[in-house]
Amino acid sequence: MMQLRPLYLCLGAFLMTGLLSACSSDTPQQVNVYSARKAELIEPLLKRFTADTGIQVNLVTGKADALIQRLKAEGRASPADLLITVDAGRLYRAKQMQLTQTIEQTALTSLVPGAYRDPEGHWLGLSLRARPIMYARDRVSPDSLSTYEALADEHWHGRVCIRSSNNIYNQSLVASMIAASGIDAVEQWAGDFVDNFARNPVGGDRDQIKAVAAGQCDVAVANTYYLLGMLTSANQAEKHAAQQVSVFWPNQGNRGTHVNISGIAMTQSAKNIEQAQQLMTYLLQPEAQAWYAQKNGEYPVIEGPEVHPLLQRWGNFKKDNLNVNRLGELNTAAVQVMDRAGWR
Ligand code: FE
């Protein structure tokens, strides 16, 4: 019943005064968000936004592909104003499916460095997710590591753990390599790289880190926030495993370490455009960026805010400044290369 009240007020004001403007001023401001980001990793920030602005945020969480399908099925009637995903590839996909629209506010889009937003302004990065090499501290000297490409060398035969090729993080990593070196070079690399696998890909990034700690392999490729999550875990076994593993930033001598984004798109169906822009702007302010990055163990998309103390310990690194839109454009090529290499 509470939710209906503003409508009654609005209708009453309209009948009494005949002024439609009385309606809009009584209608609570709101913005509707479909989020592939877990609720606990975004909700506290949305609550702060509501407290600061009076704009109510209605949050629907789910898997990215399911949310994209839902947007498609709902079409123009969709209540969603914003879509949040945890990788650029899916934002690209949503745009290709014509489920997004240009964010018509250059002051907002210019808050985000060019590499981390759609060239046509359909979506913006909210945080950066680095995918470095992780190694067994007791068995691997960081001097023996250099690039993603070098993980295909004979030296690493039977020593590499990485998750399956149907995972979009790996698809994006391979897409970034294709952008850098071309498809033929990456095709050759992928074959040698797969030959170096210690086991058939199984599990998520945490499982690769655990396998390194357990001695099943010596190096893995994983996103840093998984290692951070394990280091700060209440589960002692997980914490202990993470302590056996350290981060190596690959490709510092050339293009930099691969990064992906979590990002936000304006949906094609958006009706609360002004409120949606306000929320996007809010999420890009230094305070929100610091909270978002620290809470999730990611990196801010803007310069300035400090990262989590444990991330600070792994030091600064050069990031690949490839426009993350290319990760979407090259996704199909990446999947084909991985497939042909036998990366399951
Ligand atoms: Fe993840």
Side-chain angles (χ1 to χ4, degrees), residues 37-38 86 129 131 163 167 169 205 223 225-226 298:
R37 172 125 264 176
K38 285 189 200 110
V86 290
R129 333 183 88 207
R131 193 161 182 75
R163 70 198 289 182
N167 168 255
Y169 303 154
D205 278 5
N223 289 355
Y225 57 84
Y226 289 110
E298 299 175 339

Side-chain angles (χ1 to χ4, degrees), residues 189-242:
W189 169 83
D192 295 340
F193 182 59
V194 170
D195 280 348
N196 283 349
F197 286 4
R199 58 176 189 178
N200 285 328
V202 55
D205 278 5
R206 277 175 194 251
D207 298 301
Q208 315 314 313
I209 297 168
K210 285 178 194 167
V212 171
Q216 286 179 275
C217 37
D218 293 332
V219 292
V221 178
N223 289 355
T224 51
Y225 57 84
Y226 289 110
L227 185 58
L228 180 80
M230 290 172 69
L231 285 169
T232 55
S233 172
N235 177 328
Q236 287 307 309
E238 219 172 48
K239 195 169 179 170
H240 181 75

